Amino acid sequence: MSREGEFLPIYTDKEGSAGLIAAQHVGVLGYGAQGRAHALNLRDSGVSVKIGLYASSPRIALAQKEGFEVCSVATCAQTCDLLACMLPDEIHAQVYTKEIAPFLQSGQTLLFAHGFSVYFKQIQAPEGVGVILVAPKGPGYALRENYQQGSGLFALIAMQQNNAQHNAKELALSYACAIGSGRVGILQTTFKHEACSDLFGEQAVLCGGLVHLLENAFNTLLEAGYPGELAYFECVHEIKLIADLIYHKGLARMQEHISNTAEYGGLVSGTKLVDAQSKARMQEILGRIENGDFARAFMQEAKQGYTHLRARQSALQHSPLETFGAHLRAHLFK
Ligand SMILES: NC(=O)c1ccc[n+]([C@@H]2O[C@H](COP(=O)([O-])OP(=O)(O)OC[C@H]3O[C@@H](n4cnc5c(N)ncnc54)[C@H](OP(=O)(O)O)[C@@H]3O)[C@@H](O)[C@H]2O)c1
């Protein structure tokens, strides 16, 4: 367990060798949220990049318009030193088996932006092929925007195995610096810690706990007869104001910026909602992530055409929360 006062070292551009990644031919597989940002930042840092996509991808035209050579994943695997796997996590295994593994040679490197497929053993690269992680802490558009503004996004790096020629850590640091993360900070972790903490944060807080909290709070006010507009402002819209305070000042100093009434109310009611039982359920969620149950369920969901995900998206889209939200956002963000 990390102890207070024991911090991980934070690497920056000073520790990353720009020459190392600049000497590699990089194939960025996928041109979505992460792939596009990685490719553009790498190229602006002087790295030679081509894009690997499937033949009917609608993103081929965009990548070509933005000046990239686009080819198949298999061609990238045959011609590039480093393959940055910016594909949806649940298809890594099938693309790897069909289009990468048959061509892999000792000295090449596979790079991931999330540890899912490596930690949950969807992919097991042969000896002599490097396996590294460079995971920016934020979405692709922020990675690109920050880079263009002369800054970057914090990134995590991890090393599973060296390739036959290069030290995995030096390569990961060099790549992280080339996408701009060396301008702010790079933390070294493991595939397990990145994969599991990232999934846990999404499930317990960002995309699970928080979303369902907002939805239930909104519905509680609506069902008690309060106007939907008020319910939306109080339980959904204002989350940004608190999130911004936490982002810039942290939890403790956020409290200094809210009223005593809000602070006292938060204290007496927050602990009623999130109590020891909620913590026990969080531990259960973490356990299901660590033992691979979540990964297996997600792969099954993908295999069955994402039926639960599609149903949830449709229900949310047609919910009163979205109806009132869309109505208010049309006035707020004209
Ligand atoms: N999004 C984030 O905030 C974030 C942050 C950190 C790390 N990551 C990680 O980054 C990786 C990529 O995620 P993402 O959010 O960037 O995904 P994404 O936006 O869905 O983009 C995936 C890209 O892969 C392409 N693709 C799909 N199937 C393909 C195939 N068979 N062959 C070649 N290309 C294919 C897609 O093409 P089409 O568009 O034509 O379908 C798309 O360009 C994941 O490992 C994810 O966990 C994401």
Side-chain angles (χ1 to χ4, degrees):
M1 191 194 286
S2 298
R3 278 191 296 241
E4 203 177 353
E6 280 181 13
F7 298 117
L8 296 171
I10 299 178
Y11 300 109
T12 65
D13 281 336
K14 281 196 257 133
E15 285 83 22
S17 151
L20 198 53
I21 192 67
Q24 300 262 305
H25 289 287
V26 174
V28 174
L29 312 181
Y31 204 65
Q34 287 291 315
R36 177 172 180 266
H38 283 237
L40 291 167
N41 291 5
L42 287 168
R43 186 175 64 188
D44 288 352
S45 295
V47 181
S48 140
V49 176
K50 64 172 77 156
I51 308 297
L53 278 167
Y54 61 97
S56 58
S57 168
R59 313 256 182 160
I60 292 178
L62 175 64
Q64 286 174 334
K65 191 171 141 235
E66 293 184 324
F68 288 106
E69 177 189 344
V70 180
C71 56
S72 68
V73 170
T75 302
C76 278
Q78 290 166 80
T79 56
C80 294
D81 306 302
L82 185 146
L83 300 171
C85 202
M86 301 296 141
L87 308 166
D89 297 301
E90 64 276 28
I91 68 158
H92 284 191
Q94 77 190 54
V95 174
Y96 175 77
T97 307
K98 284 194 197 133
E99 298 182 69
I100 300 176
F103 310 107
L104 269 186
Q105 293 196 358
S106 177
Q108 284 181 296
T109 297
L110 297 171
L111 179 145
F112 299 87
H114 179 30
F116 185 94
S117 50
V118 172
Y119 180 65
F120 295 111
K121 298 200 172 14
Q122 304 283 312
I123 287 180
Q124 282 170 291
E127 212 176 296
V129 170
V131 180
I132 60 179
L133 172 102
V134 177
K137 288 289 91 196
Y141 73 86
L143 184 68
R144 180 61 183 155
E145 266 176 26
N146 283 18
Y147 181 95
Q148 287 176 305
Q149 289 158 8
S151 182
L153 283 189
F154 239 92
L156 302 180
I157 58 165
M159 287 62 70
Q160 176 91 349
Q161 58 192 57
N162 293 327
N163 76 25
Q165 287 156 18
H166 296 101
N167 175 279
K169 183 171 175 181
E170 287 173 12
L171 207 48
L173 269 177
S174 182
Y175 184 101
C177 290
I179 60 168
S181 298
R183 297 166 176 177
V184 284
I186 301 161
L187 294 171
Q188 180 178 338
T189 183
T190 62
F191 271 83
K192 175 188 172 178
H193 280 181
E194 190 282 335
C196 295
S197 64
D198 189 69
L199 294 172
F200 179 75
E202 287 167 357
Q203 294 175 29
V205 186
L206 308 172
C207 315
L210 180 64
V211 170
H212 288 267
L213 183 73
L214 302 187
E215 211 180 344
N216 276 287
F218 172 89
N219 286 335
T220 301
L221 280 182
L222 194 72
E223 286 158 19
Y226 291 82
E229 289 88 341
L230 268 66
Y232 189 83
F233 267 118
E234 303 305 340
C235 302
V236 184
H237 180 78
E238 288 192 22
I239 194 81
K240 171 155 178 24
L241 312 178
I242 292 295
D244 282 348
L245 279 172
I246 296 171
Y247 184 84
H248 289 290
K249 297 178 186 293
L251 276 183
R253 291 206 47 216
M254 175 274 281
Q255 308 271 24
E256 293 169 15
H257 292 265
I258 60 177
S259 67
N260 291 341
T261 332
E263 192 176 346
Y264 179 71
L267 173 67
V268 294
S269 294
T271 45
K272 279 200 177 67
L273 278 174
V274 183
D275 56 12
Q277 282 184 345
S278 322
K279 172 95 175 290
R281 286 196 292 271
M282 287 183 189
Q283 286 163 336
E284 205 178 295
I285 288 169
L286 181 59
R288 273 178 47 75
I289 292 170
E290 287 178 336
N291 70 17
D293 279 356
F294 168 75
R296 279 185 286 278
F298 177 50
M299 295 305 289
Q300 187 62 17
E301 170 77 2
K303 207 165 149 194
Q304 289 171 352
Y306 306 97
T307 43
H308 293 97
L309 276 186
R310 303 265 178 271
R312 162 73 178 154
Q313 278 159 7
S314 166
L316 199 51
Q317 227 139 43
H318 297 101
S319 68
L321 187 152
E322 263 315 299
T323 308
F324 282 103
H327 168 65
L328 288 175
R329 290 193 301 272
H331 284 267
L332 284 162
F333 309 117
K334 277 183 191 150

